[in-house]
């Protein structure tokens, strides 16, 4: 059912805003759901919740990466922007540490 929802939203987005926007809308929920399911299966629900929390925080870095690469065409510069953004944000929010599933 979730897959049908993602596909439906992607198709409507493609009609309204074009294929690039549809790719953005479809990619994040699909990849993050797959990631969460794999982590939950391997490490448990608490680890999956912690991983998704980190993923959400990392979105700013991903956004910085996309902006820099789109503006300059330099992937290496985009990676540096993402690392700088995520390291600063992680420190500010005190997110660096082990997940609750590790004792």
């Amino acid at each position: 059912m979730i897959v049908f929802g993602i596909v439906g939203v992607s198709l409507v987005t493609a009609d309204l805003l074009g294929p690039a926007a549809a790719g953005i809308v479809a990619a994040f929920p699909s990849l993050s759901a797959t990631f969460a399911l794999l982590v939950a299966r391997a490490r448990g629900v608490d680890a999956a919740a912690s991983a998704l929390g980190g993923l959400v925080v990392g979105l700013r870095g991903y956004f910085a990466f996309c902006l820099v690469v789109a503006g300059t065409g330099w992937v290496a510069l985009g990676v540096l922007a993402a690392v700088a953004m995520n390291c600063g944000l992680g420190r500010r929010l005190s997110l660096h540490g082990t997940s609750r599933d590790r004792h």
Side-chain angles (χ1 to χ4, degrees):
M1 192 64 155
I2 293 171
V3 173
F4 290 122
I6 292 171
V7 170
V9 169
S10 298
L11 291 174
V12 170
T13 303
D15 284 344
L16 296 175
L17 302 173
I24 293 168
V25 168
F28 185 72
S30 301
L31 295 175
S32 60
T34 303
F35 175 64
L37 289 172
L38 290 172
V39 172
R41 185 172 183 164
R43 303 289 304 277
V45 177
D46 287 341
S50 294
L52 283 177
L55 185 68
V56 169
V57 170
L59 282 176
R60 286 187 176 178
Y62 178 66
F63 184 65
F65 170 81
C66 291
L67 285 178
V68 169
V69 172
T72 65
W74 292 7
V75 174
L77 189 58
V79 170
L80 289 175
V83 168
M85 178 71 77
N86 285 340
C87 287
L89 185 63
R91 240 183 273 124
R92 194 169 1 160
L93 297 176
S94 300
L95 292 173
H96 294 290
T98 58
S99 64
R100 291 176 291 202
D101 70 318
R102 294 206 177 230
H103 299 287

